Amino acid sequence: MLEDLKNKAKEMKKIIENKEDLKKKAKDVWNKSNEIFNETSNIIKEKTDQAITMYQEYQDRERETIPQNLATKIDREIKEKHNNNCLRGDFIPGKVTIFETKVGGFPYLPKDMMFPKDKNGVDMRLLVQIKCDDLEYLEGFPGTGMLQIFTSKSFNFGSNPENPFDNSNFKIIYHQEIDKTIRLDDLYKKTLLNELEDYPIRMECPLYFTRTIDTISIFDFNYLKEFKSILGTYNNYKDFTLEEIKPLISNTESKFNKVGGNPNFINEDIRKDEYKLDTLLFQLQNDNNIVNIGKNCLIKFYINSDDLKNLNFDKVFYHIEYV
């Protein structure tokens, strides 16, 4: 029995010695881990400090400015490329029939067609109708028939800023054939609404077109893209923003009602490459006597040229731009 106690005592001693050995090893591992952690932290801090320093040096480095003559040369090259035919529309108050180009009033509608309705089931109003004989000057536009744009009196006059392709509150209608037997009295029977009540078109007015040529605005997203592309061929210059380029460019664009040509802008161009909106279908400028949506307001409808050629008006992009 004494011998058994001695053996158990030896085993206990051995266990205690093993535990001490494990504690020592654990302490060594812990110390080594701390050393590695501290060493790694120092390396990360050093590299981070280097990166911050390099970035600050880049920010502080004076950028080479674009010479005025080079900016003017690039601007001229882009604008000459984008000299496009367009029709300028001017309001000349007077009598106008349902078969002519005009803003507001009662539209031409075939006997079997009712006013288009917004998503609340309310009749839309005529924003503009264009006799397509007037459009022969413009490539890709229909040369016969009639093109009409209707918008809701509500819902920001039919536009959806979140989704300008949403046509639930505006409608583009093309009539290939015109029935000259339609009378104004026929149209009165198709709606209960006054054609101008609570609508931004203050009065029905003829819209007369004049052939002209306009060029691209510096606010057009294609302008900045092309400017950067040309500038990139000169090795001494880095990427520049529109705000840096604007002071070097003479922006002489004038805003007016138009079909075709280049759009004008009050703010930035919200179109994107993937939209493929290469044609200005119609632009209407605010006019206190005729059109009253907002000060210096621009109403624009864009379309893809292939859709226009195929008379497909389901993917028109409608944007109202305010100051």
Side-chain angles (χ1 to χ4, degrees):
M1 184 174 179
L2 183 59
E3 193 63 33
D4 289 339
L5 290 171
K6 286 182 179 180
N7 290 335
K8 287 186 182 291
K10 287 180 181 180
E11 288 175 4
M12 291 295 294
K13 182 180 179 183
K14 190 173 183 180
I15 290 171
I16 292 171
E17 288 175 350
N18 287 339
K19 284 186 176 180
E20 290 297 323
D21 186 54
L22 287 172
K23 285 172 66 176
K24 183 176 181 303
K25 287 181 179 179
K27 186 176 181 180
D28 291 339
V29 170
W30 174 259
N31 292 334
K32 187 65 176 175
S33 298
N34 280 337
E35 289 177 9
I36 295 172
F37 176 81
N38 292 333
E39 185 175 294
T40 304
S41 297
N42 290 334
I43 293 172
I44 292 173
K45 185 177 183 304
E46 180 182 351
K47 296 298 182 184
T48 301
D49 290 342
Q50 289 177 359
I52 292 173
T53 300
M54 290 174 63
Y55 178 76
Q56 288 175 339
E57 288 176 353
Y58 171 78
Q59 292 291 93
D60 294 338
R61 191 186 308 136
E62 183 177 355
R63 297 179 68 190
E64 187 168 3
T65 57
I66 308 172
Q68 181 65 62
N69 61 341
L70 177 58
T72 302
K73 177 184 176 183
I74 295 174
D75 176 65
R76 187 185 308 117
E77 181 178 338
I78 295 171
K79 288 180 177 175
E80 286 177 357
K81 176 184 174 182
H82 290 277
N83 278 339
N84 296 326
N85 292 337
C86 76
L87 292 172
R88 175 185 178 126
D90 292 300
F91 300 122
I92 302 179
K95 292 184 178 181
V96 60
T97 72
I98 60 172
F99 303 107
E100 297 175 271
T101 297
K102 63 177 181 175
V103 294
F106 276 92
Y108 162 81
L109 288 176
K111 290 179 181 178
D112 60 350
M113 181 179 288
M114 301 298 290
F115 278 76
K117 297 182 183 298
D118 64 24
K119 65 182 181 182
N120 281 353
V122 178
D123 290 346
M124 296 189 199
R125 303 289 85 188
L126 177 69
L127 180 71
V128 63
Q129 76 174 21
I130 300 169
K131 187 172 66 173
C132 293
D133 294 10
D134 297 336
L135 305 183
E136 290 180 321
Y137 176 63
L138 301 176
E139 183 179 353
F141 283 77
T144 60
M146 184 174 289
L147 186 65
Q148 298 171 321
I149 301 177
F150 292 82
T151 75
S152 173
K153 296 185 350 178
S154 308
F155 309 107
N156 197 29
F157 307 116
S159 72
N160 181 350
E162 300 300 320
N163 178 16
F165 288 105
D166 176 12
N167 62 2
S168 58
N169 293 305
F170 78 92
K171 197 67 64 182
I172 313 293
I173 296 178
Y174 173 69
H175 305 282
Q176 191 163 6
E177 303 290 337
I178 304 299
D179 182 356
K180 291 287 188 176
T181 67
I182 300 296
R183 295 292 176 262
L184 189 58
D185 286 345
D186 300 326
L187 300 172
Y188 288 148
K189 301 171 186 177
K190 294 188 176 188
T191 182
L192 297 175
L193 297 178
N194 182 299
E195 78 272 18
L196 299 178
E197 181 184 14
D198 300 325
Y199 195 59
I201 305 298
R202 288 187 166 183
M203 60 181 288
E204 179 184 49
C205 185
L207 186 62
Y208 291 96
F209 288 125
T210 304
R211 296 180 179 185
T212 186
I213 294 174
D214 69 359
T215 192
I216 192 170
S217 164
I218 67 171
F219 297 102
D220 191 307
F221 81 104
N222 289 298
Y223 181 92
L224 182 60
K225 183 171 62 175
E226 293 183 25
F227 196 103
K228 288 182 176 182
S229 177
I230 298 172
L231 189 64
T233 62
Y234 296 86
N235 296 329
N236 294 334
Y237 302 102
K238 301 180 179 66
D239 196 14
F240 283 78
T241 65
L242 179 61
E243 293 304 314
E244 292 173 296
I245 293 171
K246 278 197 300 186
L248 302 171
I249 303 302
S250 174
N251 185 32
T252 57
E253 68 174 287
S254 57
K255 302 176 180 64
F256 50 85
N257 309 314
K258 67 174 79 171
V259 176
N262 296 278
N264 300 119
F265 299 92
I266 297 171
N267 304 301
E268 64 180 45
D269 188 354
I270 67 170
R271 292 175 296 166
K272 298 178 182 178
D273 272 329
E274 59 265 32
Y275 294 165
K276 298 181 180 179
L277 298 167
D278 54 3
T279 302
L280 179 65
L281 185 64
F282 181 64
Q283 174 177 290
L284 184 64
Q285 184 179 18
N286 195 73
D287 178 292
N288 289 334
N289 296 318
I290 311 295
V291 182
N292 185 29
I293 289 185
K295 186 179 180 181
N296 297 324
C297 169
L298 283 177
I299 301 173
K300 288 173 280 190
F301 296 85
Y302 299 99
I303 191 171
N304 175 265
S305 54
D306 289 334
D307 286 337
L308 178 59
K309 181 180 178 181
N310 295 321
L311 301 176
N312 176 12
F313 299 100
D314 293 334
K315 298 178 182 178
V316 170
F317 186 98
Y318 173 25
H319 178 51
I320 300 181
E321 191 175 8
Y322 299 93
V323 173

